[in-house]
Amino acid sequence: MQDLLNYLEINKNRFLNELKEFIAIPSISTNPENKEDVQKCANWASDHLKNIGMTDVRIFQTEGHPIVYAEWSGAKGKPTVLIYGHYDVQPVDPVELWESPPFEATIRGDNIYARGTADDKGQVFIHFKAIETYLKNYGSLPVNIKMILEGEEEVGSVNLPKFLKENKELLKADLIVVSDSSMFAKGVPSICYGLRGLCYMQIDLVGPKSDLHSGSFGGSVHNPIQALAEIIASLHDKNGKITIPGFYDDVLPLTKKEREAFKKLPWSDKKYAKELGVRELYGEKGYTTLERLWARPTLECNGIWGGFTGEGAKTVLPSKASAKISMRLVPHQKSAKIAKLFERHIKKIAPKTVQVTVRNLHGGEPAITPIDSPGVQAAVAALEKGFNKKPLYQREGGSIPIVVEFKKILGLDTVLLGFGLPDENAHAPNEFLNLDNFYGGMRTVVHLFNELPNYLKK
Ligand code: BES
Ligand code: ZN
């Protein structure tokens, strides 16, 4: 083991330079202009996987972006771990708020800054280097490895379930490991056992058939922006509860035990508010912040547009207004059912003065993974060795919709082994990965491969 840890230490700088190359390819999955970059990034990952010694490396084309598959199966009679991650990234706007260019990974202090450092190229890369460490030093690994890297996680993993269904045999494994979440705090490693689901909707309102002079016509028609604002404002009551009828029907209430466990975690609302730059926190009454973040459903307006938003002033009564609204879901809510409830409710409350269209953009189901499984116990042991600290158990507010599909289609549990940090600016300007987590993550994964055969006896 010491040889392996030494190898990680000696090669630190090279690893950073390689990560910079991976980061430099702007694989923004939602942006059609970056389609070729997404393909280039898949090629880069596939070449890299070949270079570190993975034997069966292939790129599967899909109706959307490609899936990279890689395998090393030289550990006869030993368990197989299937590592999942994503090489696509979120858009970078507003680009002017970045302190260094979003695709030029830059080290400042203890962090490396760029789009994709934490979510998720940097975390995927941690696995690449743990694998390389074994293969370059020993020519073998203590477990068999399969890997799938997708290019559509940030747009709802639309083509991945089909790939799983069509390749069940190829993907046979004992356990899935995903590093696409955060540790509880700096220096506090954690195992995540719950993710929220998602239901992402768009509302489009049309009022008059074209934009109107707001002086000549203001007072005679309902401004669609006002109508939209009224609709959105009515979706929460004064206690921060969502007003869509039936929305909470399937919500699994928090157990007393879990509430107590959350209360024991080191947490300060005051510190959290300060870090976020808000004077006060907001949320559903009757729940603590961690409960609201991890185990209660929410509704957020992600964007709203319409009318004149340019420099200066233009007196216009717009024809159209739109909003994107996402709901985070918890067990046992179902994304498709929530989408129907949302659509029915919006159509019911929309005033007669406007035409309304409601669209379901994408969704995913919430996940809870068992914490007493042998895979999780191996990860706990590995984290303790990698970070010199016992990890704690936490849930997360974000979504990785494929986790539920792994269970449904492949019958496999997922261990969520995150190396990001809660303030990593994922999906925002100045995303970063902490370097201690980068190297601690590599040590952890090296230990994990070593531990897994002891926990998952074949
Ligand atoms: N890495 C995140 C998921 C995540 C975020 C896990 C925070 C734990 C904490 C992932 O890349 C992501 O952003 N997922 C999307 C999924 C959506 C597009 C279906 C999300 O949560 O918005
Ligand atoms: Zn993301």
Side-chain angles (χ1 to χ4, degrees):
M1 189 51 60
Q2 200 49 50
D3 307 350
L4 302 178
L5 299 176
N6 289 346
Y7 181 85
L8 290 177
E9 202 50 45
I10 296 164
N11 288 287
K12 268 181 164 177
N13 283 332
R14 172 170 61 87
F15 292 167
L16 274 182
N17 289 331
E18 290 172 358
L19 175 62
K20 285 180 184 172
E21 282 179 29
F22 192 18
I23 292 285
I25 309 167
S27 48
I28 306 170
S29 50
T30 198
N31 194 349
E33 278 162 33
N34 292 99
K35 191 164 168 52
E36 256 177 52
D37 294 315
V38 179
Q39 175 71 51
K40 258 193 217 155
C41 198
N43 297 346
W44 189 94
S46 137
D47 290 345
H48 198 79
L49 285 162
K50 284 178 198 157
N51 286 339
I52 63 173
M54 294 293 276
T55 41
D56 181 6
V57 183
R58 307 182 219 175
I59 294 183
F60 287 83
Q61 294 300 336
T62 72
E63 280 173 33
H65 299 302
I67 294 165
V68 180
Y69 174 82
E71 190 178 313
W72 184 89
S73 47
K76 292 283 166 288
K78 299 290 181 195
T80 299
V81 49
L82 175 58
I83 298 163
Y84 160 85
H86 64 96
Y87 67 85
D88 65 324
V89 297
Q90 286 275 330
V92 295
D93 47 83
V95 70
E96 64 280 7
L97 296 184
W98 286 79
E99 283 173 33
S100 48
F103 295 106
E104 268 175 45
T106 306
I107 293 165
R108 284 196 296 281
D110 298 334
N111 302 323
I112 179 162
Y113 288 82
R115 175 59 85 230
T117 45
D119 186 9
D120 179 36
K121 287 176 180 173
Q123 299 207 50
V124 163
F125 191 79
I126 286 172
H127 289 269
F128 289 179
K129 295 299 108 172
I131 294 169
E132 174 189 313
T133 299
Y134 276 99
L135 294 179
K136 293 282 181 253
N137 283 282
Y138 300 157
S140 70
L141 278 144
V143 282
N144 299 298
I145 308 264
K146 292 180 177 176
M147 189 179 276
I148 18 181
L149 303 179
E150 81 161 311
E152 299 190 304
E153 194 274 344
E154 299 291 8
V155 288
S157 301
V158 266
N159 292 297
L160 192 54
K162 181 163 172 255
F163 174 79
L164 300 184
K165 281 181 203 141
E166 288 172 356
N167 293 284
K168 277 192 198 167
E169 197 54 39
L170 180 71
L171 301 174
K172 259 205 169 130
D174 297 286
L175 172 78
I176 294 182
V177 174
V178 176
S179 296
D180 188 24
S181 54
S182 312
M183 307 199 332
F184 185 75
K186 199 158 183 237
V188 189
S190 59
I191 293 278
C192 174
Y193 67 94
L195 293 162
R196 288 196 288 191
L198 185 73
C199 175
Y200 204 126
M201 308 292 290
Q202 178 163 330
I203 308 178
D204 297 292
L205 295 193
V206 182
K209 68 175 193 262
S210 99
D211 285 1
L212 299 172
H213 189 291
S214 68
S216 310
F217 297 93
S220 66
V221 291
H222 199 172
N223 184 324
I225 297 180
Q226 182 190 335
L228 185 58
E230 285 159 357
I231 291 172
I232 294 172
S234 78
L235 295 176
H236 288 94
D237 71 11
K238 62 176 189 327
N239 292 319
K241 282 231 180 308
I242 294 150
T243 55
I244 301 168
F247 183 81
Y248 291 98
D249 282 1
D250 301 325
V251 169
L252 181 70
L254 269 150
T255 61
K256 209 172 150 220
K257 202 171 147 209
E258 204 171 20
R259 295 189 94 163
E260 274 160 15
F262 286 7
K263 286 212 175 82
K264 288 203 185 107
L265 296 172
W267 182 263
S268 153
D269 268 358
K270 229 175 150 178
K271 188 164 157 256
Y272 180 69
K274 197 164 169 228
E275 276 165 10
L276 296 182
V278 293
R279 276 160 58 184
E280 248 182 61
L281 299 179
Y282 167 88
E284 188 185 2
K285 287 238 161 60
Y287 295 93
T288 65
T289 305
L290 286 182
E291 290 168 355
R292 292 173 189 157
L293 286 173
W294 295 347
R296 295 296 297 169
T298 54
L299 180 149
E300 301 294 336
C301 180
N302 302 103
I304 180 165
W305 67 100
F308 178 70
T309 56
E311 275 291 311
K314 174 186 173 198
T315 46
V316 64
L317 196 167
S319 157
K320 291 177 181 168
S322 298
K324 292 194 192 275
I325 294 187
S326 66
M327 290 158 279
R328 293 286 166 175
L329 312 178
V330 300
H332 299 298
Q333 288 177 299
K334 292 265 182 303
S335 181
K337 180 174 171 190
I338 293 296
K340 279 204 191 102
L341 293 177
F342 180 88
E343 180 173 355
R344 196 166 70 199
H345 182 63
I346 299 298
K347 288 196 165 149
K348 192 165 155 237
I349 63 170
K352 297 276 174 300
T353 49
V354 290
Q355 293 169 52
V356 57
T357 319
V358 179
R359 277 192 289 157
N360 184 353
L361 299 184
H362 62 73
E365 308 306 340
I368 291 283
T369 64
I371 51 175
D372 49 3
S373 67
V376 168
Q377 294 319 308
V380 167
L383 275 170
E384 191 170 353
K385 290 185 175 154
F387 286 89
N388 297 317
K389 188 156 187 175
K390 257 198 169 40
L392 38 87
Y393 291 99
Q394 69 162 107
R395 286 167 71 166
E396 273 282 10
S399 312
I400 310 177
I402 205 65
V403 169
V404 173
E405 304 297 322
F406 284 144
K407 184 73 186 177
K408 259 198 253 165
I409 301 168
L410 303 179
L412 295 175
D413 287 324
T414 297
V415 176
L416 296 163
L417 191 62
F419 300 116
L421 285 176
D423 62 349
E424 69 199 6
N425 297 326
H427 299 200
N430 305 309
E431 175 180 349
F432 70 85
L433 180 66
N434 177 261
L435 291 175
D436 292 338
N437 288 12
F438 184 54
Y439 299 119
M442 289 179 201
R443 290 194 299 272
T444 300
V445 179
V446 164
H447 282 296
L448 178 68
F449 294 157
N450 190 45
E451 294 289 339
L452 274 173
N454 304 329
Y455 286 82
L456 301 173
K457 290 260 169 351
K458 279 250 113 174

